[in-house]
Amino acid sequence: FKTALPLLEWHSAGDSDGSVHVLLSRALAGIGDKAKAEAMLAKAQELQRASQRQAEEAGKRAITPPK
């Protein structure tokens, strides 16, 4: 788990859907850092909700033909 942490932390900056934060949370839990793992999981859930809202908003937009 320790070897994955630097790579996951680097990729977490561009995480738009929370998936990297979930992996980071699992890696932190694997090395025994429960507090950071819980914080990363909370961030992952926040990103997932934001991503879902954005997808729902995109689905509401309609393309209309020119008039």
Side-chain angles (χ1 to χ4, degrees):
F1 291 114
K2 281 188 178 185
T3 56
L5 284 176
L7 183 61
L8 290 170
E9 287 171 344
W10 185 76
H11 280 287
S12 69
D15 187 15
S16 61
D17 65 357
S19 59
V20 177
H21 281 78
V22 170
L23 295 173
L24 185 53
S25 172
R26 289 181 181 166
L28 288 165
I31 62 167
D33 196 342
K34 303 286 184 190
K36 279 189 179 178
E38 289 175 7
M40 285 299 121
L41 190 55
K43 179 69 174 175
Q45 291 169 343
E46 178 185 326
L47 288 169
Q48 289 168 347
R49 284 190 293 271
S51 178
Q52 185 177 12
R53 279 192 304 272
Q54 187 177 21
E56 288 170 358
E57 287 297 319
K60 290 179 184 176
R61 292 186 217 133
I63 299 174
T64 58
K67 295 181 183 182

